[in-house]
Amino acid sequence: MSSRTVFRRRYGASPLHLLLVLASFALAAYAGVRLLKGDTLGVALWFVGAALLHDLVLLPLYAVTDRAAQRLFGRREGGVGEAQPRPSVNYVRVPLFVSGLLLLVWWPLVLRQVGHYTAVTGLPADRFLGRWLLITAALLVASAATLLARRWHASGPRRRAARDRRRARNATK
């Protein structure tokens, strides 16, 4: 047995994967050291606050939202008798996730919390909310169009079979 096979069996992935993971840990450690060099207490409080905000507010919020989306799209019965979410719920999850990520990154501008960015961006602060809403709407429309196109494409064999049955009935008349 080769050493690569032994390594893959013990580690579970290739040596390149391990190298990349170690490099990312080194980069994260470097960033942490640089970040904590300034206001250590402030950074620690920010991380604790972010973890608490996520665990106590955001996680229940998007768990409830996801349950509502699953109910909206219905559920199908699984093989063992338990209900499984439909894949179509992902056409709501993905655009809302991207929109939420954009809001998370740009929230001071979207919510008009700071006015001094006008000199940097060249745009007045009142433009960002409308643009974020337009991007969110465009993401949802693109996702809906993708869902409809995939359903239309998947229904092709059924449509052809129904057309063939109609032609066969009309031919016998």
Side-chain angles (χ1 to χ4, degrees):
M1 198 177 295
S2 73
S3 63
R4 182 177 282 238
T5 308
V6 171
F7 180 83
R8 186 177 291 271
R9 181 180 294 155
R10 288 181 156 250
Y11 178 66
S14 70
L16 178 62
H17 181 268
L18 178 62
L19 181 67
L20 290 174
V21 167
L22 291 175
S24 68
F25 283 152
L27 181 64
Y30 171 74
V33 167
R34 293 285 310 246
L35 185 65
L36 292 175
K37 192 177 279 187
D39 183 18
T40 306
L41 181 63
V43 171
L45 285 175
W46 188 88
F47 273 114
V48 169
L52 289 175
L53 175 71
H54 176 266
D55 291 350
L56 298 178
V57 176
L58 296 178
L59 182 65
L61 181 67
Y62 60 74
V64 166
T65 305
D66 187 57
R67 289 286 178 145
Q70 287 181 18
R71 285 208 177 148
L72 176 70
F73 283 97
R75 296 174 75 84
R76 64 178 176 198
E77 292 300 318
V80 205
E82 66 182 51
Q84 295 178 352
R86 291 191 179 271
S88 56
V89 77
N90 291 331
Y91 291 92
V92 175
R93 285 178 180 161
V94 171
L96 290 182
F97 172 75
V98 172
S99 175
L101 192 60
L102 287 172
L103 179 62
L104 182 66
V105 170
W106 298 103
W107 69 270
L109 294 171
V110 171
L111 301 178
R112 300 179 186 139
Q113 299 274 326
V114 284
H116 64 278
Y117 281 98
T118 303
V120 175
T121 62
L123 295 172
D126 62 343
R127 300 253 175 112
F128 290 97
L129 176 62
R131 290 182 180 193
W132 175 74
L133 290 172
L134 281 174
I135 289 171
T136 301
L139 287 169
L140 288 168
V141 166
S143 183
T146 304
L147 174 63
L148 290 175
R150 287 193 176 185
R151 285 199 175 166
W152 174 259
H153 182 70
S155 69
R158 287 191 306 257
R159 288 192 322 268
R160 282 192 292 277
R163 184 180 62 226
D164 291 343
R165 283 193 301 272
R166 280 194 311 270
R167 284 182 182 167
R169 272 194 309 251
N170 290 339
T172 59
K173 287 184 181 179

